[in-house]
Amino acid sequence: MSPTEHPKNNDNSVRLSKRLAEQLACSRTEAELYIENGAVQVDGVTQEHPGARVLPQQVVTVAEGAKAEHVPPVTILLHKPAGYSVHAGGHRSALDLLTPENWHQGDTPAPIRMLQKHFQNLECLEPIPVPASGLTVLTQDRRIARKLTEDALYIEQECIAHVQGSLDAEGLERLCNGSSIPGKRLPRIKVSWQSDNHLRFALKGIFPEEIDAMCRGVGLKLVGLKRLRMGRISMAKLDEGQWRYLMPWERF
């Protein structure tokens, strides 16, 4: 029987948190914190679920120096592929990409240890449309959520738009001066050609989902959209479908 299976036929198994609390003579809450921090092993295998069942003969150990502390909230940066939603449980959910196989650890000098707790209660901030790809921010950190919510109109976003059609100098200026959507005035932004059929948008006060209407307003068809950057945080080195942790010293 594995540690995560439920008891059957009165096998005398108990919750791991209860067993650990008795073993350490600590509270059940403290025991759960040890477990959620990845500091507890059952028969040599790390177990992060406080509700896992353990049998009397199974050996439960705690890593030396472990502390009963709350797991700090994390922020995850994901290179969302086109066609993926940021909602859980739906068809092609971007949350399903948050796997160990897709984790880009890089060469950071102070790596964050991946815990199952990191993937609970994630909030997606400034989501991009389902047909778009690029940088997507998911966080448990209320400070990050507040920053990206309250300062949404002041944080510059960089996007690359794949377009079809012709654009003259007047049309480009309309994209820049905020007059591209008939009957709607947008803030002035920076728009320039990155390459043939690819426009670079540096947006402030405009959200990526408005780029489609902006392009249609000057006679262009938006074929694809990718977000490269939010504030000072870029998607650099993340391949499509990969994710990484926002490090403590990084700022939007």
Side-chain angles (χ1 to χ4, degrees), residues 53-109:
R53 310 295 298 194
V54 292
L55 295 166
Q57 67 269 27
Q58 290 185 291
V59 178
V60 177
T61 57
V62 180
E64 185 177 352
K67 297 180 180 179
E69 298 175 336
H70 288 281
V71 176
V74 299
T75 297
I76 289 174
L77 308 176
L78 168 70
H79 183 165
K80 185 188 85 68
Y84 277 75
S85 166
V86 295
H87 301 293
H91 177 61
R92 302 187 81 187
S93 170
L95 299 180
D96 294 337
L97 299 172
L98 303 181
T99 64
E101 295 76 19
N102 293 334
W103 180 23
H104 178 79
Q105 299 185 53
D107 54 359
T108 176

Side-chain angles (χ1 to χ4, degrees), residues 36-38 48 70-77 99-100 103-119 122 138-141 143-144 243-251:
E36 291 174 350
N37 271 283
E48 297 180 41
H70 288 281
V71 176
V74 299
T75 297
I76 289 174
L77 308 176
T99 64
W103 180 23
H104 178 79
Q105 299 185 53
D107 54 359
T108 176
I112 295 175
R113 181 185 181 188
M114 184 172 63
L115 298 171
Q116 294 174 12
K117 188 78 170 178
H118 292 162
F119 306 101
L122 286 167
L138 303 138
T139 191
Q140 302 171 328
D141 193 329
R143 296 170 302 173
I144 297 293
W243 64 273
R244 72 174 180 87
Y245 290 110
L246 180 75
M247 303 310 293
W249 55 84
E250 294 184 289
R251 297 289 183 271

Side-chain angles (χ1 to χ4, degrees), residues 234-247:
S234 75
M235 199 175 58
K237 299 182 179 179
L238 281 182
D239 293 332
E240 189 170 80
Q242 287 189 327
W243 64 273
R244 72 174 180 87
Y245 290 110
L246 180 75
M247 303 310 293

Side-chain angles (χ1 to χ4, degrees), residues 120-138:
Q120 300 174 10
N121 303 315
L122 286 167
E123 178 182 1
C124 182
L125 300 169
E126 297 301 320
I128 51 178
V130 170
S133 65
L135 180 62
T136 299
V137 179
L138 303 138

Side-chain angles (χ1 to χ4, degrees), residues 114-234:
M114 184 172 63
L115 298 171
Q116 294 174 12
K117 188 78 170 178
H118 292 162
F119 306 101
Q120 300 174 10
N121 303 315
L122 286 167
E123 178 182 1
C124 182
L125 300 169
E126 297 301 320
I128 51 178
V130 170
S133 65
L135 180 62
T136 299
V137 179
L138 303 138
T139 191
Q140 302 171 328
D141 193 329
R142 298 313 306 162
R143 296 170 302 173
I144 297 293
R146 187 164 54 250
K147 168 72 175 177
L148 294 184
T149 301
E150 294 178 354
D151 295 346
L153 297 178
Y154 308 104
I155 295 176
E156 186 175 80
Q157 301 187 47
E158 181 179 353
C159 298
I160 300 297
H162 180 195
V163 297
Q164 291 178 346
S166 59
L167 182 69
D168 56 21
E170 180 183 350
L172 183 61
E173 176 56 25
R174 288 176 58 203
L175 288 173
C176 292
N177 68 21
S179 63
S180 58
I181 301 178
K184 185 175 183 179
R185 192 68 183 182
L186 299 172
R188 186 171 183 86
I189 60 172
K190 299 175 184 177
V191 184
S192 59
W193 285 107
Q194 185 197 48
S195 62
D196 291 344
N197 300 321
H198 288 83
L199 284 168
R200 174 186 175 273
F201 285 75
L203 308 166
K204 270 190 180 182
I206 299 175
F207 299 102
E209 57 266 28
E210 295 181 280
I211 291 178
D212 184 25
M214 294 173 67
C215 289
R216 284 188 279 108
V218 294
L220 295 175
K221 179 181 179 180
L222 182 65
V223 178
L225 183 66
K226 177 181 287 188
R227 179 163 61 193
L228 303 181
R229 177 175 57 84
M230 292 178 63
R232 288 172 285 186
I233 302 300
S234 75

